[in-house]
């Protein structure tokens, strides 16, 4: 039989012996236990089904999960909240739909009910230290993956691609606040890449446990900027960006005392406690390797996807290359009668701007730009136009290109026959020609 001294001198046996000794956990206060139960259920509901939908070939399970909420949320809106209108629009390009807000309401109610049931069934438990570590682990990876996704689509700026020609013709007054922000980000490629790199830096650090606090602080700074932009420019991702910011504060909250001692009071502080330490060293090393590998995979996958999306956006088939650009209207006839370019003529066009094969923009004589839906057949050389705001409005045109710089279009707008002659405009705009200057003798602010 080995003596206690012999056991103490053998690290492996020592760690096994220590593992058999029960570790007493400090008792949490009632408020802390209730708060943890609520946070655990709420964050689990909000973050799930991550990582489904983030990993390749996992879109379908994530969609199936979401379809379940498509049944629950409209029912709650109708029978519990008694909203005046039924929910028919679900999460799309907007994350601030009625559906999204009612879904969060469902999460809050479910979390509150879970706290009551959990508290009644588990009154004697002193703390949830181990479960808390698992919750932090899940929230940390969710936030890290999201930051990598946010940043990747900016480093290769497919989220803010080069401006379409019609944007240059739109006045500031006619732009939406979100349109102004998108124009700024698209015109500021260097800033967009910088913002994306910061988000990706915070994201990848969150996959490294020892650097997770630094990654969280970077993520909070990045998401605070995103949240304020969303609030200031009415970007419909306010709800989501707020929750990402909330996740960052949740992760950094236990570190506030240590951070305050170091940054505010200029005092030394103790190292952070390690998260999710297992009794077997190989399991700890495996978990570390798996997290780093997952972070690198997320980052590389997002960068690849964004690069491919940007590549197809810039040179893809959906760009109408033969018609791309701005066309000035030289002649415009209605039912055989020429229409002079009068500012009071509500029907005559001044310019058309062709971007993609599903939409184009028409500038009236009053200077206002109207975006219309388009169906283009480049083989038959036909264009069918419709307005989302006016389902009855329709135009059908057949065009010819006598030269690459001229176009002739004939057809109907409504019930009236039109004949249009146009020429291609090689317009240069200050926004994309001014460039960068190290030396400016005077401010160039126009």
């Amino acid at each position: 039989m080995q003596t206690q001294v012999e056991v103490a001198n053998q690290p492996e046996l020592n760690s096994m012996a220590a593992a058999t000794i029960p570790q007493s956990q400090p008792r949490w206060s009632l408020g802390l236990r209730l708060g943890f139960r609520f946070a655990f259920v709420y964050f689990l509901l909000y973050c799930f089904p991550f990582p489904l939908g983030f990993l390749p070939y996992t879109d379908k399970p994530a969609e199936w999960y979401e379809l379940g909420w498509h049944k629950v949320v409209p029912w709650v809106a109708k029978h519990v909240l008694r909203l005046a209108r039924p929910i028919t629009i679900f999460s799309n390009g907007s994350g601030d739909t009625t559906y999204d807000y009612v879904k969060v309401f469902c999460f809050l109610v479910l979390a509150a009910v879970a706290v009551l049931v959990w508290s009644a069934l588990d009154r004697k438990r002193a703390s949830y230290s181990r479960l808390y570590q698992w919750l932090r682990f899940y929230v940390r990876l969710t936030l890290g993956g999201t930051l990598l996704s946010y940043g990747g689509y900016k480093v290769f700026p497919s989220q803010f691609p080069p401006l379409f020609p019609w944007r240059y013709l739109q006045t500031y007054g006619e732009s939406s606040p979100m349109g102004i922000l998108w124009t700024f980000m698209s015109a500021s490629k260097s800033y967009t890449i910088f913002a994306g790199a910061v988000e990706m830096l915070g994201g990848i650090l969150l996959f490294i446990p020892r650097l997770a606090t630094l990654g969280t602080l970077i993520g909070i700074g990045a998401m605070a900027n995103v949240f304020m932009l969303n609030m200031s420019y009415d970007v419909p991702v306010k709800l989501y960006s707020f929750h990402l910011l909330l996740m960052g504060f949740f992760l950094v909250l236990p570190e506030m005392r240590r951070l305050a001692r170091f940054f505010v009071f200029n005092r030394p502080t103790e190292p952070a406690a390690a998260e999710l330490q297992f009794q077997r060293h190989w399991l700890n090393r495996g978990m570390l390797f798996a997290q780093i590998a997952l972070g690198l995979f997320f980052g590389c996958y997002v960068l690849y996807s964004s690069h491919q999306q940007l590549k197809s956006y810039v040179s893809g088939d959906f760009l109408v290359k033969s018609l791309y650009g701005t066309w000035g209207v030289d002649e415009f006839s209605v039912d055989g009668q020429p229409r002079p370019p009068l500012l009071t003529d509500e029907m005559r066009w001044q310019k058309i701007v062709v971007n993609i094969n599903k939409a184009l923009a028409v500038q009236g004589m009053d200077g206002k730009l109207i975006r219309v839906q388009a169906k283009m057949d480049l083989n038959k050389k036909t264009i069918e136009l419709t307005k989302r705001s006016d389902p009855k409005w329709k135009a059908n045109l057949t065009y010819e290109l006598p030269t690459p710089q001229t176009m002739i279009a004939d057809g109907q707008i409504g019930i009236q026959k039109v004949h249009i002659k146009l020429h291609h405009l090689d317009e240069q705009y200050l926004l994309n020609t001014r460039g960068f200057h190290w030396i400016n003798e005077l401010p160039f602010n126009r």
Side-chain angles (χ1 to χ4, degrees), residues 45-70 91 99 103 138:
L45 287 170
Y46 194 87
C47 295
F48 194 79
F50 177 89
L52 300 179
F54 275 70
L55 296 170
Y57 310 112
T58 62
D59 291 339
K60 282 297 180 182
E63 290 176 8
W64 295 336
Y65 171 76
E66 190 63 27
L67 287 175
W69 286 107
H70 286 184
S91 297
Y99 167 82
K103 187 178 179 183
Y138 186 54

Side-chain angles (χ1 to χ4, degrees), residues 253-294:
L253 187 62
E255 309 294 333
M256 291 304 297
R257 179 173 296 180
R258 295 176 56 253
L259 294 173
R261 285 180 60 87
F262 185 80
F263 287 106
V264 179
F265 300 107
N266 196 27
R267 296 175 182 173
T269 185
E270 69 282 355
E275 292 186 10
L276 285 179
Q277 289 297 300
F278 300 95
Q279 295 178 8
R280 295 174 175 83
H281 294 300
W282 67 266
L283 190 55
N284 290 322
R285 291 192 295 268
M287 281 287 290
L288 175 61
F289 174 79
Q291 291 177 69
I292 296 175
L294 184 62

Side-chain angles (χ1 to χ4, degrees), residues 352-365:
I352 67 169
V353 186
V354 182
N355 302 318
I356 60 177
N357 56 16
K358 294 184 179 180
L360 57 81
V362 175
Q363 186 179 44
M365 294 305 300

